[in-house]
Amino acid sequence: GNSVTQMEGPVTLSEEAFLTINCTYTATGYPSLFWYVQYPGEGLQLLLKATKADDKGSNKGFEATYRKETTSFHLEKGSVQVSDSAVYFCALSDRGGGTYKYIFGTGTRLKVLA
Amino acid sequence: DAGVIQSPRHEVTEMGQEVTLRCKPISGHNSLFWYRQTMMRGLELLIYFNNNVPIDDSGMPEDRFSAKMPNASFSTLKIQPSEPRDSAVYFCASSWTGTGANVLTFGAGSRLTVL
């Protein structure tokens, strides 16, 4: 079945450091891929998405490229800020049985220190 | 659009009591999902509906949990009787499952504490 694996946290970085959060997936079809972010006390919010191979999703300085050959969708940011401290979830959606199912990773907590 | 609306935002109840959580999805979305989030188990899918019909309820923990979607703009998740281990944040999410990336939009969650 479909699955998403992302790196364990927590990840602790200093402000302006480079961020990578690894995500790999297993899917039988051609899924869409997503990164969601959850700030403390809030629901998950879409950060970026990619719908096909080699697509690059980007938002708020974050980027991720859909790599079909390595089944990966790693999240990167060149210079993190304290305000980026949150939990990041990698996810995929795939069509099965006529409807879409969404599979989420376990989440990676990021803490950015001033 | 106001987004996905959940109520109540916080609920504290005693073991054995009935709990009803409510959700109003985004207008025009045809799929609705209920998730539960805990520190121990992370984000778990409980049930999802497509066009108001339950498609997969395999994530519902046990018979104490039930969910309904009487129309396209309203869904409930009921726990009866509640137990302390049900304490969690319950999220409702909706999406349009047509062409495109099918983005899932979450509500702010209902934090349930069962004493």
Side-chain angles (χ1 to χ4, degrees):
Chain A
N2 296 345
S3 67
V4 173
T5 303
Q6 59 182 109
M7 61 189 288
E8 297 254 346
V11 174
T12 303
L13 297 173
S14 298
E15 208 165 23
E16 299 184 4
F18 184 85
L19 168 71
T20 300
I21 300 178
N22 290 338
C23 171
T24 57
Y25 68 90
T26 303
T28 53
Y30 300 92
S32 295
L33 301 175
F34 308 86
W35 277 99
Y36 281 82
V37 59
Q38 184 179 30
Y39 298 103
E42 299 183 12
L44 282 71
Q45 305 172 25
L46 177 69
L47 180 60
L48 53 85
K49 66 183 188 293
T51 59
K52 61 184 187 297
D54 300 326
D55 266 3
K56 178 186 282 188
S58 62
N59 185 27
K60 300 181 181 180
F62 291 89
E63 292 184 339
T65 301
Y66 190 143
R67 302 283 188 203
K68 196 168 190 301
E69 64 276 13
T70 55
T71 62
S72 65
F73 193 56
H74 304 322
L75 182 68
E76 296 182 336
K77 186 175 185 182
S79 176
V80 294
Q81 306 299 313
V82 172
S83 56
D84 294 327
S85 298
V87 181
Y88 292 82
F89 292 88
C90 185
L92 68 81
S93 75
D94 200 7
R95 193 175 185 87
T99 64
Y100 282 86
K101 297 190 79 167
Y102 297 84
I103 308 295
F104 283 85
T106 53
T108 302
R109 183 175 300 276
L110 170 66
K111 185 172 183 179
V112 180
L113 304 176
Chain B
D1 199 317
V4 177
I5 307 297
Q6 291 188 245
S7 64
R9 289 296 313 277
H10 302 275
E11 174 92 8
V12 179
T13 191
E14 294 191 344
M15 184 173 64
Q17 297 298 304
E18 178 180 294
V19 173
T20 299
L21 307 179
R22 297 172 177 80
C23 176
K24 176 179 168 55
I26 289 176
S27 176
H29 282 188
N30 62 349
S31 289
L32 183 140
F33 303 75
W34 282 100
Y35 287 87
R36 177 171 70 175
Q37 186 178 41
T38 62
M39 289 293 292
M40 292 293 292
R41 302 169 77 106
L43 195 64
E44 303 173 274
L45 176 64
L46 300 177
I47 184 171
Y48 77 92
F49 296 83
N50 186 252
N51 294 324
N52 311 339
V53 176
I55 301 299
D56 184 353
D57 65 354
S58 60
M60 296 286 261
E62 48 200 272
D63 291 346
R64 297 185 296 106
F65 285 69
S66 63
K68 294 182 179 179
M69 192 165 186
N71 57 61
S73 58
F74 185 66
S75 176
T76 59
L77 178 68
K78 186 176 293 187
I79 308 172
Q80 167 63 16
S82 58
E83 297 183 2
R85 59 191 167 124
D86 302 330
S87 297
V89 181
Y90 291 81
F91 289 103
C92 176
S94 70
S95 71
W96 162 248
T97 54
T99 57
N102 311 110
V103 173
L104 195 57
T105 302
F106 283 79
S110 293
R111 180 176 295 276
L112 173 65
T113 302
V114 183
L115 303 174

